PDB file of all heavy atoms in Angstrom:
ATOM      1  N   ARG A  15       2.101  10.816  13.284  1.00  0.00           N
ATOM      2  CA  ARG A  15       3.200  10.092  12.621  1.00  0.00           C
ATOM      3  C   ARG A  15       3.808   9.071  13.569  1.00  0.00           C
ATOM      4  O   ARG A  15       4.209   7.993  13.144  1.00  0.00           O
ATOM      5  CB  ARG A  15       4.307  11.065  12.173  1.00  0.00           C
ATOM      6  CG  ARG A  15       3.949  11.935  10.990  1.00  0.00           C
ATOM      7  CD  ARG A  15       3.570  11.123   9.756  1.00  0.00           C
ATOM      8  NE  ARG A  15       4.532  10.104   9.380  1.00  0.00           N
ATOM      9  CZ  ARG A  15       5.575  10.311   8.582  1.00  0.00           C
ATOM     10  NH1 ARG A  15       5.818  11.490   8.079  1.00  0.00           N
ATOM     11  NH2 ARG A  15       6.395   9.312   8.275  1.00  0.00           N
ATOM     12  N   ASN A  37     -13.896   4.023  -1.152  1.00  0.00           N
ATOM     13  CA  ASN A  37     -13.154   2.951  -0.491  1.00  0.00           C
ATOM     14  C   ASN A  37     -12.062   3.504   0.408  1.00  0.00           C
ATOM     15  O   ASN A  37     -11.319   4.418   0.020  1.00  0.00           O
ATOM     16  CB  ASN A  37     -12.480   2.046  -1.536  1.00  0.00           C
ATOM     17  CG  ASN A  37     -13.464   1.391  -2.472  1.00  0.00           C
ATOM     18  OD1 ASN A  37     -14.583   1.099  -2.095  1.00  0.00           O
ATOM     19  ND2 ASN A  37     -13.016   1.150  -3.694  1.00  0.00           N
ATOM     20  N   TYR A  41      -3.994  -0.832   6.649  1.00  0.00           N
ATOM     21  CA  TYR A  41      -2.969  -1.868   6.548  1.00  0.00           C
ATOM     22  C   TYR A  41      -2.024  -1.738   7.741  1.00  0.00           C
ATOM     23  O   TYR A  41      -1.853  -0.666   8.303  1.00  0.00           O
ATOM     24  CB  TYR A  41      -2.101  -1.669   5.310  1.00  0.00           C
ATOM     25  CG  TYR A  41      -2.781  -1.820   3.973  1.00  0.00           C
ATOM     26  CD1 TYR A  41      -3.352  -0.724   3.328  1.00  0.00           C
ATOM     27  CD2 TYR A  41      -2.790  -3.047   3.322  1.00  0.00           C
ATOM     28  CE1 TYR A  41      -3.939  -0.852   2.071  1.00  0.00           C
ATOM     29  CE2 TYR A  41      -3.366  -3.193   2.071  1.00  0.00           C
ATOM     30  CZ  TYR A  41      -3.930  -2.081   1.459  1.00  0.00           C
ATOM     31  OH  TYR A  41      -4.497  -2.219   0.206  1.00  0.00           O
ATOM     32  N   GLN A  43       2.177  -2.709   8.382  1.00  0.00           N
ATOM     33  CA  GLN A  43       3.392  -3.111   7.677  1.00  0.00           C
ATOM     34  C   GLN A  43       4.458  -3.476   8.689  1.00  0.00           C
ATOM     35  O   GLN A  43       4.814  -2.671   9.547  1.00  0.00           O
ATOM     36  CB  GLN A  43       3.895  -1.977   6.777  1.00  0.00           C
ATOM     37  CG  GLN A  43       5.105  -2.378   5.952  1.00  0.00           C
ATOM     38  CD  GLN A  43       5.589  -1.273   5.046  1.00  0.00           C
ATOM     39  OE1 GLN A  43       5.293  -0.102   5.239  1.00  0.00           O
ATOM     40  NE2 GLN A  43       6.319  -1.652   4.001  1.00  0.00           N
ATOM     41  N   LEU A  51      -3.660  -6.349   4.937  1.00  0.00           N
ATOM     42  CA  LEU A  51      -4.908  -5.616   5.086  1.00  0.00           C
ATOM     43  C   LEU A  51      -5.589  -5.989   6.391  1.00  0.00           C
ATOM     44  O   LEU A  51      -5.826  -7.159   6.665  1.00  0.00           O
ATOM     45  CB  LEU A  51      -5.830  -5.914   3.900  1.00  0.00           C
ATOM     46  CG  LEU A  51      -7.161  -5.194   3.879  1.00  0.00           C
ATOM     47  CD1 LEU A  51      -6.956  -3.682   3.709  1.00  0.00           C
ATOM     48  CD2 LEU A  51      -8.025  -5.736   2.739  1.00  0.00           C
ATOM     49  N   GLU A  62     -15.445  -4.497   5.783  1.00  0.00           N
ATOM     50  CA  GLU A  62     -15.140  -5.910   5.546  1.00  0.00           C
ATOM     51  C   GLU A  62     -13.821  -6.233   6.220  1.00  0.00           C
ATOM     52  O   GLU A  62     -12.893  -5.413   6.191  1.00  0.00           O
ATOM     53  CB  GLU A  62     -15.003  -6.208   4.046  1.00  0.00           C
ATOM     54  CG  GLU A  62     -16.314  -6.279   3.315  1.00  0.00           C
ATOM     55  CD  GLU A  62     -16.153  -6.783   1.894  1.00  0.00           C
ATOM     56  OE1 GLU A  62     -15.058  -7.256   1.534  1.00  0.00           O
ATOM     57  OE2 GLU A  62     -17.132  -6.692   1.140  1.00  0.00           O
ATOM     58  N   ALA A 102     -14.516   3.956  -6.024  1.00  0.00           N
ATOM     59  CA  ALA A 102     -15.228   2.716  -6.349  1.00  0.00           C
ATOM     60  C   ALA A 102     -15.831   2.773  -7.742  1.00  0.00           C
ATOM     61  O   ALA A 102     -16.442   1.806  -8.191  1.00  0.00           O
ATOM     62  CB  ALA A 102     -16.333   2.449  -5.329  1.00  0.00           C
ATOM     63  N   ARG A 104     -15.648   2.293 -11.415  1.00  0.00           N
ATOM     64  CA  ARG A 104     -14.739   1.516 -12.249  1.00  0.00           C
ATOM     65  C   ARG A 104     -14.298   2.315 -13.473  1.00  0.00           C
ATOM     66  O   ARG A 104     -15.093   2.846 -14.207  1.00  0.00           O
ATOM     67  CB  ARG A 104     -15.393   0.205 -12.690  1.00  0.00           C
ATOM     68  CG  ARG A 104     -15.453  -0.838 -11.588  1.00  0.00           C
ATOM     69  CD  ARG A 104     -14.077  -1.211 -11.086  1.00  0.00           C
ATOM     70  NE  ARG A 104     -14.101  -2.333 -10.143  1.00  0.00           N
ATOM     71  CZ  ARG A 104     -13.034  -2.820  -9.518  1.00  0.00           C
ATOM     72  NH1 ARG A 104     -11.860  -2.274  -9.710  1.00  0.00           N
ATOM     73  NH2 ARG A 104     -13.135  -3.842  -8.682  1.00  0.00           N
ATOM     74  N   GLU A 106     -10.039   3.458 -15.245  1.00  0.00           N
ATOM     75  CA  GLU A 106      -8.615   3.285 -14.957  1.00  0.00           C
ATOM     76  C   GLU A 106      -8.192   3.949 -13.653  1.00  0.00           C
ATOM     77  O   GLU A 106      -7.552   3.338 -12.817  1.00  0.00           O
ATOM     78  CB  GLU A 106      -7.782   3.826 -16.112  1.00  0.00           C
ATOM     79  CG  GLU A 106      -6.289   3.752 -15.808  1.00  0.00           C
ATOM     80  CD  GLU A 106      -5.429   3.934 -17.032  1.00  0.00           C
ATOM     81  OE1 GLU A 106      -5.805   3.432 -18.102  1.00  0.00           O
ATOM     82  OE2 GLU A 106      -4.379   4.580 -16.915  1.00  0.00           O
ATOM     83  N   TYR A 109      -8.828   2.429  -9.847  1.00  0.00           N
ATOM     84  CA  TYR A 109      -8.164   1.302  -9.213  1.00  0.00           C
ATOM     85  C   TYR A 109      -7.030   1.726  -8.289  1.00  0.00           C
ATOM     86  O   TYR A 109      -6.593   0.956  -7.461  1.00  0.00           O
ATOM     87  CB  TYR A 109      -7.580   0.371 -10.272  1.00  0.00           C
ATOM     88  CG  TYR A 109      -8.622  -0.396 -11.044  1.00  0.00           C
ATOM     89  CD1 TYR A 109      -9.193   0.137 -12.183  1.00  0.00           C
ATOM     90  CD2 TYR A 109      -9.017  -1.653 -10.622  1.00  0.00           C
ATOM     91  CE1 TYR A 109     -10.148  -0.576 -12.885  1.00  0.00           C
ATOM     92  CE2 TYR A 109      -9.961  -2.368 -11.325  1.00  0.00           C
ATOM     93  CZ  TYR A 109     -10.516  -1.831 -12.457  1.00  0.00           C
ATOM     94  OH  TYR A 109     -11.452  -2.530 -13.155  1.00  0.00           O
ATOM     95  N   GLU A 110      -6.563   2.942  -8.463  1.00  0.00           N
ATOM     96  CA  GLU A 110      -5.362   3.328  -7.746  1.00  0.00           C
ATOM     97  C   GLU A 110      -5.653   3.630  -6.299  1.00  0.00           C
ATOM     98  O   GLU A 110      -6.582   4.359  -5.970  1.00  0.00           O
ATOM     99  CB  GLU A 110      -4.730   4.546  -8.412  1.00  0.00           C
ATOM    100  CG  GLU A 110      -4.260   4.273  -9.816  1.00  0.00           C
ATOM    101  CD  GLU A 110      -3.499   5.442 -10.394  1.00  0.00           C
ATOM    102  OE1 GLU A 110      -2.496   5.835  -9.797  1.00  0.00           O
ATOM    103  OE2 GLU A 110      -3.922   5.947 -11.427  1.00  0.00           O
ATOM    104  N   GLN A 111      -4.839   3.057  -5.426  1.00  0.00           N
ATOM    105  CA  GLN A 111      -4.931   3.356  -4.007  1.00  0.00           C
ATOM    106  C   GLN A 111      -3.915   4.444  -3.673  1.00  0.00           C
ATOM    107  O   GLN A 111      -2.766   4.390  -4.109  1.00  0.00           O
ATOM    108  CB  GLN A 111      -4.671   2.109  -3.161  1.00  0.00           C
ATOM    109  CG  GLN A 111      -5.804   1.109  -3.219  1.00  0.00           C
ATOM    110  CD  GLN A 111      -5.703   0.010  -2.182  1.00  0.00           C
ATOM    111  OE1 GLN A 111      -4.976   0.112  -1.194  1.00  0.00           O
ATOM    112  NE2 GLN A 111      -6.447  -1.064  -2.396  1.00  0.00           N
ATOM    113  N   PHE A 113      -2.080   6.592  -0.491  1.00  0.00           N
ATOM    114  CA  PHE A 113      -1.718   6.318   0.897  1.00  0.00           C
ATOM    115  C   PHE A 113      -1.432   7.575   1.707  1.00  0.00           C
ATOM    116  O   PHE A 113      -0.916   8.571   1.184  1.00  0.00           O
ATOM    117  CB  PHE A 113      -0.480   5.423   0.941  1.00  0.00           C
ATOM    118  CG  PHE A 113      -0.798   3.983   0.690  1.00  0.00           C
ATOM    119  CD1 PHE A 113      -0.970   3.521  -0.605  1.00  0.00           C
ATOM    120  CD2 PHE A 113      -0.958   3.096   1.742  1.00  0.00           C
ATOM    121  CE1 PHE A 113      -1.294   2.196  -0.843  1.00  0.00           C
ATOM    122  CE2 PHE A 113      -1.279   1.771   1.520  1.00  0.00           C
ATOM    123  CZ  PHE A 113      -1.442   1.323   0.226  1.00  0.00           C
ATOM    124  N   GLY A 114      -1.740   7.482   2.995  1.00  0.00           N
ATOM    125  CA  GLY A 114      -1.300   8.476   3.953  1.00  0.00           C
ATOM    126  C   GLY A 114       0.151   8.247   4.332  1.00  0.00           C
ATOM    127  O   GLY A 114       0.765   7.265   3.907  1.00  0.00           O
ATOM    128  N   PRO A 115       0.727   9.125   5.173  1.00  0.00           N
ATOM    129  CA  PRO A 115       2.145   9.035   5.526  1.00  0.00           C
ATOM    130  C   PRO A 115       2.471   7.931   6.520  1.00  0.00           C
ATOM    131  O   PRO A 115       3.642   7.611   6.717  1.00  0.00           O
ATOM    132  CB  PRO A 115       2.439  10.402   6.140  1.00  0.00           C
ATOM    133  CG  PRO A 115       1.121  10.869   6.647  1.00  0.00           C
ATOM    134  CD  PRO A 115       0.087  10.333   5.714  1.00  0.00           C
TER     135      PRO A 115
ATOM    136  N   ASN B  38      -6.167  -5.400 -11.646  1.00  0.00           N
ATOM    137  CA  ASN B  38      -5.435  -4.189 -11.282  1.00  0.00           C
ATOM    138  C   ASN B  38      -4.025  -4.606 -10.905  1.00  0.00           C
ATOM    139  O   ASN B  38      -3.847  -5.605 -10.200  1.00  0.00           O
ATOM    140  CB  ASN B  38      -6.141  -3.543 -10.080  1.00  0.00           C
ATOM    141  CG  ASN B  38      -5.409  -2.347  -9.489  1.00  0.00           C
ATOM    142  OD1 ASN B  38      -4.426  -1.855 -10.045  1.00  0.00           O
ATOM    143  ND2 ASN B  38      -5.881  -1.870  -8.363  1.00  0.00           N
ATOM    144  N   GLN B  40      -0.507  -2.455  -9.616  1.00  0.00           N
ATOM    145  CA  GLN B  40       0.124  -1.168  -9.357  1.00  0.00           C
ATOM    146  C   GLN B  40       1.549  -1.379  -8.876  1.00  0.00           C
ATOM    147  O   GLN B  40       1.840  -2.350  -8.151  1.00  0.00           O
ATOM    148  CB  GLN B  40      -0.648  -0.402  -8.275  1.00  0.00           C
ATOM    149  CG  GLN B  40      -1.995   0.135  -8.732  1.00  0.00           C
ATOM    150  CD  GLN B  40      -2.657   0.965  -7.639  1.00  0.00           C
ATOM    151  OE1 GLN B  40      -3.653   0.576  -7.047  1.00  0.00           O
ATOM    152  NE2 GLN B  40      -2.098   2.124  -7.355  1.00  0.00           N
ATOM    153  N   PHE B  42       4.418   0.665  -6.600  1.00  0.00           N
ATOM    154  CA  PHE B  42       4.560   1.734  -5.616  1.00  0.00           C
ATOM    155  C   PHE B  42       6.033   1.872  -5.232  1.00  0.00           C
ATOM    156  O   PHE B  42       6.791   0.899  -5.250  1.00  0.00           O
ATOM    157  CB  PHE B  42       3.802   1.406  -4.320  1.00  0.00           C
ATOM    158  CG  PHE B  42       2.316   1.366  -4.437  1.00  0.00           C
ATOM    159  CD1 PHE B  42       1.672   0.201  -4.793  1.00  0.00           C
ATOM    160  CD2 PHE B  42       1.549   2.481  -4.153  1.00  0.00           C
ATOM    161  CE1 PHE B  42       0.289   0.138  -4.879  1.00  0.00           C
ATOM    162  CE2 PHE B  42       0.163   2.435  -4.228  1.00  0.00           C
ATOM    163  CZ  PHE B  42      -0.463   1.262  -4.598  1.00  0.00           C
ATOM    164  N   GLN B  44       8.138   3.135  -1.846  1.00  0.00           N
ATOM    165  CA  GLN B  44       8.080   3.588  -0.456  1.00  0.00           C
ATOM    166  C   GLN B  44       9.403   4.249  -0.111  1.00  0.00           C
ATOM    167  O   GLN B  44      10.453   3.592  -0.146  1.00  0.00           O
ATOM    168  CB  GLN B  44       7.798   2.440   0.502  1.00  0.00           C
ATOM    169  CG  GLN B  44       7.544   2.920   1.935  1.00  0.00           C
ATOM    170  CD  GLN B  44       7.035   1.821   2.837  1.00  0.00           C
ATOM    171  OE1 GLN B  44       7.459   0.671   2.758  1.00  0.00           O
ATOM    172  NE2 GLN B  44       6.111   2.157   3.726  1.00  0.00           N
ATOM    173  N   TRP B  47      11.173   7.448   4.493  1.00  0.00           N
ATOM    174  CA  TRP B  47      10.326   7.953   5.570  1.00  0.00           C
ATOM    175  C   TRP B  47       8.996   7.212   5.659  1.00  0.00           C
ATOM    176  O   TRP B  47       8.151   7.553   6.466  1.00  0.00           O
ATOM    177  CB  TRP B  47      10.091   9.454   5.379  1.00  0.00           C
ATOM    178  CG  TRP B  47      11.387  10.196   5.469  1.00  0.00           C
ATOM    179  CD1 TRP B  47      11.983  10.702   6.574  1.00  0.00           C
ATOM    180  CD2 TRP B  47      12.273  10.464   4.373  1.00  0.00           C
ATOM    181  NE1 TRP B  47      13.183  11.273   6.239  1.00  0.00           N
ATOM    182  CE2 TRP B  47      13.380  11.153   4.911  1.00  0.00           C
ATOM    183  CE3 TRP B  47      12.230  10.207   2.998  1.00  0.00           C
ATOM    184  CZ2 TRP B  47      14.447  11.574   4.120  1.00  0.00           C
ATOM    185  CZ3 TRP B  47      13.290  10.626   2.208  1.00  0.00           C
ATOM    186  CH2 TRP B  47      14.379  11.306   2.767  1.00  0.00           C
ATOM    187  N   GLN B  49       6.553   6.863   3.253  1.00  0.00           N
ATOM    188  CA  GLN B  49       5.455   7.266   2.376  1.00  0.00           C
ATOM    189  C   GLN B  49       5.409   6.398   1.126  1.00  0.00           C
ATOM    190  O   GLN B  49       6.426   6.217   0.450  1.00  0.00           O
ATOM    191  CB  GLN B  49       5.615   8.729   1.966  1.00  0.00           C
ATOM    192  CG  GLN B  49       4.546   9.226   1.008  1.00  0.00           C
ATOM    193  CD  GLN B  49       3.185   9.400   1.666  1.00  0.00           C
ATOM    194  OE1 GLN B  49       3.039  10.145   2.624  1.00  0.00           O
ATOM    195  NE2 GLN B  49       2.175   8.718   1.133  1.00  0.00           N
ATOM    196  N   ASN B  52       2.241   6.106  -5.553  1.00  0.00           N
ATOM    197  CA  ASN B  52       1.886   5.377  -6.772  1.00  0.00           C
ATOM    198  C   ASN B  52       2.878   5.689  -7.879  1.00  0.00           C
ATOM    199  O   ASN B  52       3.174   6.859  -8.131  1.00  0.00           O
ATOM    200  CB  ASN B  52       0.523   5.840  -7.280  1.00  0.00           C
ATOM    201  CG  ASN B  52      -0.603   5.429  -6.392  1.00  0.00           C
ATOM    202  OD1 ASN B  52      -0.381   4.925  -5.303  1.00  0.00           O
ATOM    203  ND2 ASN B  52      -1.806   5.634  -6.851  1.00  0.00           N
ATOM    204  N   TYR B  55      -0.258   2.456 -12.610  1.00  0.00           N
ATOM    205  CA  TYR B  55      -1.367   1.506 -12.680  1.00  0.00           C
ATOM    206  C   TYR B  55      -1.201   0.816 -14.037  1.00  0.00           C
ATOM    207  O   TYR B  55      -1.282   1.464 -15.078  1.00  0.00           O
ATOM    208  CB  TYR B  55      -2.709   2.234 -12.593  1.00  0.00           C
ATOM    209  CG  TYR B  55      -3.855   1.421 -13.118  1.00  0.00           C
ATOM    210  CD1 TYR B  55      -4.400   0.388 -12.369  1.00  0.00           C
ATOM    211  CD2 TYR B  55      -4.385   1.656 -14.390  1.00  0.00           C
ATOM    212  CE1 TYR B  55      -5.433  -0.372 -12.863  1.00  0.00           C
ATOM    213  CE2 TYR B  55      -5.422   0.901 -14.880  1.00  0.00           C
ATOM    214  CZ  TYR B  55      -5.942  -0.116 -14.115  1.00  0.00           C
ATOM    215  OH  TYR B  55      -6.961  -0.880 -14.604  1.00  0.00           O
ATOM    216  N   LYS B  61       3.937   1.513 -19.925  1.00  0.00           N
ATOM    217  CA  LYS B  61       3.802   2.934 -19.627  1.00  0.00           C
ATOM    218  C   LYS B  61       5.175   3.500 -19.284  1.00  0.00           C
ATOM    219  O   LYS B  61       6.045   2.776 -18.780  1.00  0.00           O
ATOM    220  CB  LYS B  61       2.861   3.155 -18.438  1.00  0.00           C
ATOM    221  CG  LYS B  61       1.407   2.920 -18.747  1.00  0.00           C
ATOM    222  CD  LYS B  61       0.535   3.325 -17.576  1.00  0.00           C
ATOM    223  CE  LYS B  61      -0.937   3.140 -17.914  1.00  0.00           C
ATOM    224  NZ  LYS B  61      -1.810   3.490 -16.777  1.00  0.00           N
ATOM    225  N   PHE B  93       7.204  -1.817  -4.383  1.00  0.00           N
ATOM    226  CA  PHE B  93       6.191  -2.854  -4.208  1.00  0.00           C
ATOM    227  C   PHE B  93       5.352  -3.001  -5.470  1.00  0.00           C
ATOM    228  O   PHE B  93       4.997  -2.020  -6.124  1.00  0.00           O
ATOM    229  CB  PHE B  93       5.239  -2.506  -3.054  1.00  0.00           C
ATOM    230  CG  PHE B  93       5.844  -2.614  -1.692  1.00  0.00           C
ATOM    231  CD1 PHE B  93       6.284  -1.485  -1.028  1.00  0.00           C
ATOM    232  CD2 PHE B  93       5.967  -3.846  -1.067  1.00  0.00           C
ATOM    233  CE1 PHE B  93       6.836  -1.573   0.241  1.00  0.00           C
ATOM    234  CE2 PHE B  93       6.518  -3.951   0.200  1.00  0.00           C
ATOM    235  CZ  PHE B  93       6.961  -2.809   0.847  1.00  0.00           C
ATOM    236  N   GLU B  97      -4.732  -6.757  -7.781  1.00  0.00           N
ATOM    237  CA  GLU B  97      -6.126  -7.074  -7.442  1.00  0.00           C
ATOM    238  C   GLU B  97      -6.538  -8.229  -8.344  1.00  0.00           C
ATOM    239  O   GLU B  97      -6.620  -8.087  -9.560  1.00  0.00           O
ATOM    240  CB  GLU B  97      -7.038  -5.874  -7.678  1.00  0.00           C
ATOM    241  CG  GLU B  97      -8.509  -6.139  -7.374  1.00  0.00           C
ATOM    242  CD  GLU B  97      -9.427  -5.012  -7.830  1.00  0.00           C
ATOM    243  OE1 GLU B  97      -8.929  -3.970  -8.273  1.00  0.00           O
ATOM    244  OE2 GLU B  97     -10.654  -5.185  -7.752  1.00  0.00           O
ATOM    245  N   TYR B 102     -11.628  -4.632  -5.076  1.00  0.00           N
ATOM    246  CA  TYR B 102     -10.823  -3.458  -4.730  1.00  0.00           C
ATOM    247  C   TYR B 102      -9.649  -3.767  -3.802  1.00  0.00           C
ATOM    248  O   TYR B 102      -8.891  -2.874  -3.472  1.00  0.00           O
ATOM    249  CB  TYR B 102     -11.680  -2.356  -4.094  1.00  0.00           C
ATOM    250  CG  TYR B 102     -12.818  -1.907  -4.973  1.00  0.00           C
ATOM    251  CD1 TYR B 102     -14.124  -2.309  -4.713  1.00  0.00           C
ATOM    252  CD2 TYR B 102     -12.587  -1.095  -6.077  1.00  0.00           C
ATOM    253  CE1 TYR B 102     -15.165  -1.917  -5.526  1.00  0.00           C
ATOM    254  CE2 TYR B 102     -13.629  -0.688  -6.895  1.00  0.00           C
ATOM    255  CZ  TYR B 102     -14.914  -1.106  -6.622  1.00  0.00           C
ATOM    256  OH  TYR B 102     -15.941  -0.704  -7.421  1.00  0.00           O
ATOM    257  N   GLN B 103      -9.491  -4.993  -3.371  1.00  0.00           N
ATOM    258  CA  GLN B 103      -8.447  -5.311  -2.402  1.00  0.00           C
ATOM    259  C   GLN B 103      -7.179  -5.774  -3.114  1.00  0.00           C
ATOM    260  O   GLN B 103      -7.222  -6.612  -4.007  1.00  0.00           O
ATOM    261  CB  GLN B 103      -8.950  -6.371  -1.426  1.00  0.00           C
ATOM    262  CG  GLN B 103     -10.126  -5.867  -0.598  1.00  0.00           C
ATOM    263  CD  GLN B 103     -10.602  -6.874   0.429  1.00  0.00           C
ATOM    264  OE1 GLN B 103      -9.807  -7.613   0.991  1.00  0.00           O
ATOM    265  NE2 GLN B 103     -11.894  -6.906   0.672  1.00  0.00           N
ATOM    266  N   LEU B 104      -6.057  -5.221  -2.692  1.00  0.00           N
ATOM    267  CA  LEU B 104      -4.770  -5.530  -3.308  1.00  0.00           C
ATOM    268  C   LEU B 104      -4.041  -6.607  -2.515  1.00  0.00           C
ATOM    269  O   LEU B 104      -4.049  -6.599  -1.280  1.00  0.00           O
ATOM    270  CB  LEU B 104      -3.897  -4.276  -3.362  1.00  0.00           C
ATOM    271  CG  LEU B 104      -4.380  -3.136  -4.261  1.00  0.00           C
ATOM    272  CD1 LEU B 104      -3.470  -1.921  -4.096  1.00  0.00           C
ATOM    273  CD2 LEU B 104      -4.414  -3.585  -5.702  1.00  0.00           C
ATOM    274  N   TRP B 106      -0.236  -7.869  -1.907  1.00  0.00           N
ATOM    275  CA  TRP B 106       1.051  -7.195  -2.039  1.00  0.00           C
ATOM    276  C   TRP B 106       2.203  -8.183  -2.121  1.00  0.00           C
ATOM    277  O   TRP B 106       2.227  -9.205  -1.431  1.00  0.00           O
ATOM    278  CB  TRP B 106       1.278  -6.292  -0.824  1.00  0.00           C
ATOM    279  CG  TRP B 106       0.334  -5.135  -0.807  1.00  0.00           C
ATOM    280  CD1 TRP B 106      -0.993  -5.176  -0.516  1.00  0.00           C
ATOM    281  CD2 TRP B 106       0.640  -3.786  -1.112  1.00  0.00           C
ATOM    282  NE1 TRP B 106      -1.543  -3.921  -0.620  1.00  0.00           N
ATOM    283  CE2 TRP B 106      -0.555  -3.053  -0.975  1.00  0.00           C
ATOM    284  CE3 TRP B 106       1.810  -3.120  -1.469  1.00  0.00           C
ATOM    285  CZ2 TRP B 106      -0.617  -1.679  -1.216  1.00  0.00           C
ATOM    286  CZ3 TRP B 106       1.747  -1.752  -1.699  1.00  0.00           C
ATOM    287  CH2 TRP B 106       0.547  -1.046  -1.575  1.00  0.00           C
TER     288      TRP B 106
END
Side-chain angles (χ1 to χ4, degrees):
Chain A
R15 288 302 308 272
N37 300 328
Y41 295 91
Q43 184 179 20
L51 182 66
E62 284 189 10
R104 284 300 187 183
E106 176 165 322
Y109 289 88
E110 296 187 58
Q111 288 192 17
F113 281 81
Chain B
N38 174 8
Q40 288 184 250
F42 293 88
Q44 188 170 38
W47 297 271
Q49 178 72 58
N52 291 8
Y55 160 77
K61 287 187 178 178
F93 289 100
E97 179 189 354
Y102 302 104
Q103 297 183 35
L104 294 175
W106 292 73

